[in-house]
Amino acid sequence: MTSELWITNVNYWVERLGGPDGPGRYRRYALGTLVCFALVEAGLWALWLAQTDIDAPALTSVAVLCVAHVAAQVPLTRAGLRHYLGVGPRPDRLVALYTTVTVAMAVLGWVLLGTGRIDGSVLAPYLVWLLMFYAGPPGLALPRRAGATLVVVVSLCVTGGTVAAGLSGTTLALVIGSAVFMAPFMAMAVRATGWGVRLIEELAAARQTQARLAVAEERLRFGRDLHDVLGRNLAVVALKSELAVQLARRGRPEAVDQMIEVQRIAQDSQREIRSVVRGYRTADLHTELVGARSVLEAAGIACRIEDGPAARLPADIQAALGWVVREATTNVLRHAQSALRCDVSLRTAGPGAVLLAVENDGAPEAEDGAGTGLSGLKERLSELSGTLVTERRPGGVFRLTAHVPWEKSA
């Protein structure tokens, strides 16, 4: 069975079980299935005792060991599964007890055969069931190599002792076949059951982690959008408020117009924040270019805009480049100490690509241009296989370049 098919089956069980306790229920289901092996073994031993004609002391000895074997198998299976899942210690003592009872049962069978109380046809199923049911729990409770080694050693010992006890012919072939085929099959089947439980629980844990990461990513997106919305607007509000204060001190009536503009920007910010909360907000490239020219010129910064193929770009590329223009304008207003000019150029960059460049002077030497807003822009552009590059040039010139692939429609 391929790993893809295993993953498909695991997904099916997770979806079918559902709920926060789904993996726990699957673990209990798997444990119940493994415990059923002990019940089947108990039924087979009861059938063997009922159909075998031996004296009472021998019958009692076999019955006691059979009960001990079944009784040791159940707690070993439970403890072995817990250890395999990494939630319990390795049950070495239970493995030793279970192995001791198994060997004691085999020795008792050889004694019964050697003393003539049973014949080979009666001993053969006795040893076949013993090896078959023994192999599962140690294969689950121990590491893979150690469990396989123990099962092989016990199988070889039982087979060798059976030959020494005088079993031969077809009955001996049945015992050897059980050691070669049935014991490894049961060991792998039980371990595969434990592996399935672990896979279910790991997948459930991975889904919980994925859900937490999705929430964290959404919080980052929300914070980034708030930064993009408020960054430029707050810079413009601060600029126009300072201008209104200076005009008011001089007794100029234009101060009222500036404060009206501040009020309008604040109202626009409120609407944009509500749009962010609803998740419907996008940046329009044309609107951002017009707004950039307006706020930069209001700050006394000459702005030259070359919009090139802006109107022909797809909506998703326009929205991404609109965020670039908004963030670049915010950075000019916030970080440029004595900016006098800002050039915005949008043009095609060869076949199938568009290039947006924003360049301004007056950039402080200590800034590296790698703020939270630029990190958010890189994430937005990466969704379109685009890139964002910042460059510092001599004379306090800062250049931001966005490159986005663009497949022109026919």
Side-chain angles (χ1 to χ4, degrees):
M1 182 176 291
T2 63
S3 58
E4 291 81 2
L5 185 57
W6 267 106
I7 295 298
T8 301
N9 291 336
V10 168
N11 277 306
Y12 167 77
W13 277 107
V14 169
E15 295 294 341
R16 181 173 179 178
L17 291 169
D21 192 41
R25 289 202 300 272
Y26 184 78
R27 182 194 295 189
R28 292 190 291 271
Y29 163 80
L31 181 60
T33 301
L34 295 178
V35 170
C36 283
F37 289 152
L39 299 179
V40 172
E41 182 186 6
L44 290 175
W45 290 132
L47 181 64
W48 187 90
L49 291 171
Q51 293 182 346
T52 302
D53 184 17
I54 55 178
D55 56 88
L59 185 66
T60 302
S61 300
V62 173
V64 169
L65 288 178
C66 288
V67 171
H69 197 263
V70 173
Q73 182 181 154
V74 174
L76 176 57
T77 300
R78 182 182 295 108
L81 181 60
R82 287 178 56 82
H83 173 68
Y84 185 82
L85 298 177
V87 295
R90 192 169 71 181
D92 292 330
R93 293 184 178 179
L94 287 174
V95 172
L97 174 63
Y98 189 56
T99 302
T100 301
V101 175
T102 300
V103 173
M105 287 188 67
V107 171
L108 178 59
W110 302 334
V111 171
L112 294 177
L113 178 66
T115 57
R117 299 179 185 181
I118 59 174
D119 56 23
S121 61
V122 175
L123 179 62
Y126 177 96
L127 295 177
V128 167
W129 298 337
L130 183 64
L131 289 175
M132 182 176 66
F133 287 106
Y134 166 76
L140 183 64
L142 298 177
R144 181 172 53 186
R145 182 172 298 178
T149 301
L150 179 61
V151 171
V152 169
V153 169
V154 171
S155 299
L156 290 177
C157 290
V158 171
T159 304
T162 303
V163 174
L167 196 65
S168 61
T170 304
T171 53
L172 178 60
L174 289 176
V175 176
I176 296 176
S178 176
V180 173
F181 298 106
M182 293 304 300
F185 172 79
M186 287 296 293
M188 289 187 294
V190 172
R191 192 171 182 88
T193 301
W195 182 55
V197 176
R198 186 168 66 183
L199 210 58
I200 287 283
E201 297 189 353
E202 288 179 353
L203 183 58
R207 288 189 171 184
Q208 293 176 358
T209 302
Q210 183 180 18
R212 289 194 297 268
L213 290 176
V215 172
E217 183 178 356
E218 181 63 17
R219 288 175 177 172
L220 289 175
R221 183 201 67 80
F222 186 76
R224 181 185 62 197
D225 286 355
L226 284 180
H227 170 273
D228 295 340
V229 168
L230 295 179
R232 189 191 69 179
N233 289 356
L234 290 177
V236 175
V237 166
L239 177 67
K240 289 188 173 291
S241 298
E242 181 180 357
L243 178 59
V245 170
Q246 294 177 359
L247 292 174
R249 288 176 177 174
R250 298 173 187 174
R252 300 284 296 276
E254 290 88 347
V256 176
D257 295 333
Q258 294 297 327
M259 292 309 299
I260 292 175
E261 182 69 10
V262 169
Q263 182 183 24
R264 183 191 65 79
I265 295 173
Q267 292 172 347
D268 290 343
S269 298
Q270 288 179 333
R271 286 193 295 270
E272 289 183 335
I273 290 175
R274 285 194 293 268
S275 298
V276 168
V277 173
R278 296 189 186 99
Y280 298 136
R281 183 176 183 274
T282 59
D284 178 72
L285 180 57
H286 176 72
T287 302
E288 295 300 333
L289 289 172
V290 173
R293 185 196 300 273
S294 175
V295 298
L296 290 174
E297 291 181 347
I301 302 173
C303 181
R304 183 177 64 86
I305 294 179
E306 178 185 348
D307 57 6
R312 304 195 306 272
L313 294 175
D316 54 348
I317 295 181
Q318 287 201 38
L321 295 180
W323 285 110
V324 174
V325 172
R326 173 179 282 266
E327 178 62 24
T329 305
T330 302
N331 288 339
V332 173
L333 294 173
R334 180 180 300 169
H335 301 298
Q337 297 173 343
S338 56
L340 298 177
R341 69 173 181 86
C342 180
D343 299 330
V344 182
S345 174
L346 178 67
R347 62 181 185 276
T348 56
V354 62
L355 186 72
L356 172 66
V358 181
E359 183 178 288
N360 65 275
D361 60 357
E365 296 297 333
E367 296 286 345
D368 60 3
T372 303
L374 295 182
S375 300
L377 290 180
K378 291 180 180 179
E379 294 178 8
R380 291 181 185 275
L381 293 177
S382 65
E383 296 176 357
L384 302 173
S385 300
T387 58
L388 183 73
V389 178
T390 58
E391 179 185 3
R392 186 171 300 281
R393 297 182 174 182
V397 176
F398 183 79
R399 182 180 178 87
L400 182 148
T401 305
H403 183 276
V404 182
W406 171 34
E407 295 294 337
K408 298 180 181 180
S409 58

